[in-house]
Amino acid sequence: MNNETNPREKLAQAPAEILKRLSAMGRVMLSTRSGGATHERMGVVEAVTITGNEVRLSGAFHDSRIDLATVVRIVADRTSKMRERVLPRLECQDASGETLFSLIGLDGLEPFDKALEPFGAGEMLEPIQREAPGSGGSADVPEDDLGARSFAAILASGEPIAIDIERAGLFQHWQGALPEPKPAMGFVNIMQGDFHLHLKAGAVSSWEWTESAGTVVLEARDSEGKGFGLVLRGPAAAFAEVPDVDVISG
């Protein structure tokens, strides 16, 4: 394969077969955007396990489940650049052609292309225009932004939490001590080496609180009261000072 002659192609192989090659690509970032949340895990995929229609990506840097009943095709794209460096990606798409999430090769073209080499060339596709990262956000995060206030309260509690994203075709998990949130460019940014959450200012209008077996689950709600896939989990003490929480009994 050659990024100059085949920069964007639909791979003919089944997604399960393609995803098995992730461990050979070096550092990979699984990035998905749902509502106003962008959830990213990054590092080497140490294991790919397939059980029925579920693909599990695991290791020190990844913990995700991919639903093969939803993800039905994969496009290999080599057109994205950062500072003149190509960052190739596998776009995981549903039956309508919507990209649900991407697996981005952080170590560049060489390991990406070598991992895919056994599959040969796919169907050539036209390049697409990409939205600039972080676009759509205001210059500042308001002081009363619920997302910013919530993560500040969690940081102050000192309790570790899980930050998950649940959307069509994908569940992705991160857990640990919360890094200090950094508001910038219209987003609340939570970042460490293997995990980024970029939460758009105003995306969270309220939280829905449920509790089971000592674990509290906070589900983010948008301005229409709908969930958009961002879910926090942890002990009640982590969320005791989080504002605008609706407690759901039962």
Side-chain angles (χ1 to χ4, degrees):
M1 274 187 280
N2 185 300
N3 67 296
E4 293 181 355
T5 59
N6 217 0
R8 182 172 171 83
E9 59 185 353
K10 181 173 71 174
L11 300 177
Q13 293 72 24
E17 294 303 307
I18 299 165
L19 294 171
K20 287 178 184 177
R21 302 295 298 161
L22 286 172
S23 297
M25 289 186 180
R27 294 177 302 129
V28 171
M29 178 168 70
L30 194 163
S31 177
T32 191
R33 183 184 302 174
S34 184
T38 301
H39 193 284
E40 300 170 331
R41 294 296 308 267
M42 56 213 73
V44 174
V45 177
E46 296 175 15
V48 179
T49 306
I50 301 174
T51 306
N53 275 335
E54 180 180 280
V55 178
R56 174 78 183 273
L57 308 184
S58 58
F61 309 107
H62 287 276
D63 190 350
S64 62
R65 300 192 302 269
I66 297 168
D67 177 15
L68 295 176
T70 303
V71 176
V72 299
R73 75 172 192 172
I74 293 181
V75 169
D77 186 283
R78 302 170 181 82
T79 64
S80 182
K81 291 186 177 182
M82 179 174 288
R83 300 184 182 91
E84 299 305 313
R85 182 167 172 255
V86 176
L87 289 179
R89 65 181 64 204
L90 298 176
E91 297 177 0
C92 295
Q93 300 182 350
D94 65 13
S96 72
E98 178 186 357
T99 296
L100 305 173
F101 56 94
S102 293
L103 292 147
I104 301 166
L106 299 178
D107 288 334
L109 277 171
E110 185 175 353
F112 182 88
D113 281 346
K114 186 174 181 180
L116 297 181
E117 189 174 9
F119 299 139
E123 177 188 342
M124 185 80 165
L125 300 175
E126 291 295 322
I128 60 171
Q129 290 282 15
R130 297 192 184 280
E131 185 179 353
S135 64
S138 59
D140 298 307
V141 175
E143 291 184 6
D144 63 350
D145 178 71
L146 179 56
R149 292 165 62 207
S150 298
F151 282 112
I154 295 167
L155 180 69
S157 78
E159 297 282 351
I161 65 165
I163 303 176
D164 298 336
I165 199 78
E166 301 178 12
R167 61 159 305 160
L170 177 70
F171 170 84
Q172 183 161 246
H173 171 78
W174 173 85
Q175 185 169 358
L178 189 71
E180 183 179 356
K182 303 289 187 181
M185 300 298 292
F187 289 81
V188 180
N189 302 291
I190 296 169
M191 297 183 291
Q192 65 174 40
D194 68 336
F195 170 64
H196 289 177
L197 175 71
H198 306 289
L199 182 61
K200 190 175 180 180
V204 181
S205 292
S206 65
W207 298 98
E208 181 180 285
W209 170 305
T210 56
E211 188 169 356
S212 176
T215 297
V216 169
V217 177
L218 290 190
E219 182 177 357
R221 298 287 179 177
D222 63 17
S223 59
E224 297 180 352
K226 299 178 181 178
F228 55 91
L230 177 64
V231 179
L232 313 182
R233 294 180 171 88
F239 307 125
E241 300 302 322
V242 171
D244 291 329
V245 171
D246 299 321
V247 179
I248 307 299
S249 61

